[in-house]
Amino acid sequence: QVQLVESGGGLVQAGGSLRLSCAASGRAFSRYTVGWFRQAPGKEREFVAVIISSDGTTYYADSVKGRFTISRDNAENAVYLQMNSLKAEDTAVYHCAGSTAHGHILAAEFYNYWGQGTQVTVSS
């Protein structure tokens, strides 16, 4: 089991940057595939990015591709989401989530460990 805690959210102007952190406590964090999801008011939960445990391969939603970068530091038991060129439509609560399983990594149902979320607000 792992516990995940997000941090780094806040208020930023459009065009600015934020770096979100997902800190893990538990065993064998390097075995976990970790994804970022977001949910804005009145909208469904949306996949943002994922980093696969086995080889570090990453995937991004089209809406953030080229602007966001997911990375991990297993020595620090952390996954990061660097968000650049932020837009008002990026405003949401961002959650990180982890799983040791193999499956549909773009689906929220794949993940069995979730952080509490961190608010990102982008002003236009």
Side-chain angles (χ1 to χ4, degrees), residues 16-66:
S17 298
L18 284 174
R19 190 191 195 201
L20 305 184
S21 297
C22 176
S25 61
R27 297 168 63 87
F29 176 69
S30 63
R31 298 179 63 247
Y32 283 76
T33 289
V34 177
W36 284 95
F37 294 80
R38 67 187 183 186
Q39 188 165 21
K43 296 184 179 179
E44 296 293 318
R45 180 176 291 161
E46 178 187 23
F47 166 79
V48 176
V50 61
I51 185 162
I52 298 173
S53 63
S54 58
D55 61 3
T57 299
T58 59
Y59 295 94
Y60 298 91
D62 288 341
S63 59
V64 307
K65 194 174 299 180

Side-chain angles (χ1 to χ4, degrees), residues 1 3 8 13 35 43 55 57 81 83 87 90 96:
Q1 294 186 343
Q3 292 183 322
Q13 291 187 344
K43 296 184 179 179
D55 61 3
T57 299
L81 185 69
M83 305 186 296
K87 305 174 181 179
D90 296 318
C96 65

Side-chain angles (χ1 to χ4, degrees), residues 21-24 29 34 36 51 71-80:
S21 297
C22 176
F29 176 69
V34 177
W36 284 95
I51 185 162
S71 62
R72 72 191 302 160
D73 186 340
N74 289 328
E76 296 291 335
N77 273 12
V79 170
Y80 305 99

